[in-house]
Amino acid sequence: MRRVAIVGAGPAGMYAAEALSKSGRVDIDILDRLPVPCGLVRYGVAPDHVAIRSVRDTLDGILDLPGVSFLGNVEVGRDVSVEQLSRFYDAIVWCYGAPTDRSLGIDGENLAGSISATAFVNWYTGHPDADRSFDTLLTGPSTAAVIGVGNVAVDVARILVSPIHALRTTEMPDHVLAALEASTIKQVHVLGRRGPAHASFTTKELKELGEIEGVRVIVESRDLVRSDETVAALENDKVASRNFAVLEEWASRDWPHEPRSLWLHFYARPQRIRGDAAVAWLDVARTEVDAEGRARDTGQTWELATDLVIRSVGYRGEPMPGVPFDAARGIVPNTDGRVTDHGSVAPGQYTAGWIKRGPSGIIGTNKKDATATVAALLEDLDDLPVPAERGALPSHLSAIGIVTVNRDGWRRISREECARGVASGRDRVTIHDRVDLLTVSQ
Ligand code: NAP
């Protein structure tokens, strides 16, 4: 049997494994630097989105398919080089995602109190590498500004204003729940640099913001003017049109006084974050949108007093040493999933998911994407050279003392998470500590 390494056990990697297994022509090792599979389904999807998180069960089932093995706690680049991997495997599929955040490129971005949504999401989902200084970040401040109007910004805003009892049923680790319970945030401002017709959040996610107990949503009518440009944009986009209707209804609703407020500002481009030692103000330029859909400053500015800035302007792919990388797009360059290096196909290397196409789409998008990549791989398979040391990865890892987590180890973690949930009446509690994860897995 030929042997394929998939690097990254998120949705793209798991769906690639499923498609490869179905072919019956290869054995598959799914490698992940974390001791657990599922990637952003575990560390991206908001814990209160229980239905979406249940995709984990589907992904978990892929580990039972013929020829599929999981090798968690293995970091390519640290525990095994790309050059070694290509000696151990007939083909490699890079599915390592887009782990970092895009930057705003404005002054004050690195002040204390200015954080990335990626880091915040890592923290509230219990990622082993989460920044634990966030445990105290929300105690004291009353106002937070979230930059960006994508679904991640909506998740972050919702988590910040949700009443604690709505989160207590989720898998969030106890220290996260304690921090959110102690949170003093009362006002959250979400800022989009273009108009509502150009926001990238989806309607279901947007609507949820209007259904949070104890939260009043504020949208200014000046942001909802149906200019020619807005009308043209809405005509071409059903989701935008539905979003617009939701926002109009909120703007006209007579909201009761509530303990927490959520503001949605559009045509609001952050210019500068100000403060002596920490965030205190956000300078915002009022924009208009031109016929091409680009934001253009109008010359008007306003300022927002805020204690925190959470930058949610998209994820970004990172280079992996030894793997071709398109720095401008933040992806592994490829033609239909075949990795290319300066325009030529790199034999035996493939890619799927966010590192193939950029950070967009829903979880299901990765199935189609990964299946297309696997089709290319299977087309090439008979012509790929036989690797010098096929199957030698496990012995290499044990020789250098790496403790790996296999499918049964992951299932032990999963069972333990469910057992720990029982104590607090929950289905599961995320084990967040890497040592704890490894101990439980063994
Ligand atoms: P996204 O949808 O690409 O949104 C990024 C936002 O940042 C946009 O509003 C963008 O505005 C804004 N932005 C970018 N650069 C900016 C700048 N320099 N200044 C101000 N604003 C800037 O990314 P995301 O929210 O990180 O989501 C990533 C993917 O995951 C998306 O496909 C999303 O739908 C998906 N996701 C889905 C769910 C769900 O289904 N529940 C949950 C989370 C994530 P412009 O449009 O003007 O560039």
Side-chain angles (χ1 to χ4, degrees), residues 87-258:
R87 276 192 275 127
F88 299 156
Y89 291 92
D90 296 81
I92 306 169
V93 190
W94 303 111
C95 302
Y96 62 87
T100 49
D101 57 297
R102 291 176 52 194
S103 70
L104 277 172
I106 60 171
D107 283 352
E109 193 164 0
N110 297 320
L111 273 174
S114 165
I115 65 169
S116 74
T118 354
F120 191 62
V121 172
N122 274 350
W123 172 75
Y124 70 58
T125 54
H127 193 290
D129 301 335
D131 182 345
R132 291 294 300 273
S133 72
F134 294 175
D135 292 8
T136 51
L137 184 77
L138 305 176
T139 315
S142 62
T143 306
V146 181
I147 313 291
V149 281
N151 279 329
V152 172
V154 169
D155 280 347
V156 165
R158 190 182 65 254
I159 296 293
L160 283 173
V161 294
S162 286
I164 191 67
H165 68 80
L167 302 174
R168 279 207 183 288
T169 51
T170 72
E171 302 169 11
M172 281 181 176
D174 289 336
H175 67 270
V176 175
L177 284 175
L180 290 169
E181 182 166 20
S183 168
T184 46
I185 300 284
K186 296 277 180 271
Q187 316 245 15
V188 173
H189 296 260
V190 179
L191 288 90
R193 65 177 167 178
R194 297 188 288 160
H198 297 282
S200 51
F201 46 57
T202 38
T203 314
K204 179 177 163 291
E205 281 65 27
L206 176 66
K207 270 186 171 172
E208 283 175 350
L209 295 179
E211 293 159 5
I212 307 170
E213 188 190 316
V215 176
R216 173 181 175 215
V217 182
I218 300 159
V219 190
E220 291 180 278
S221 50
R222 70 170 185 163
D223 289 350
L224 297 174
V225 174
R226 286 180 179 260
S227 65
D228 290 350
E229 184 281 321
T230 300
V231 170
L234 294 179
E235 265 170 13
N236 294 325
D237 187 336
K238 283 202 179 98
V239 176
S241 181
R242 284 194 284 264
N243 289 344
F244 207 89
V246 171
L247 295 166
E248 282 180 324
E249 192 274 313
W250 287 346
S252 64
R253 196 190 290 183
D254 192 12
W255 294 82
H257 179 76
E258 298 285 9

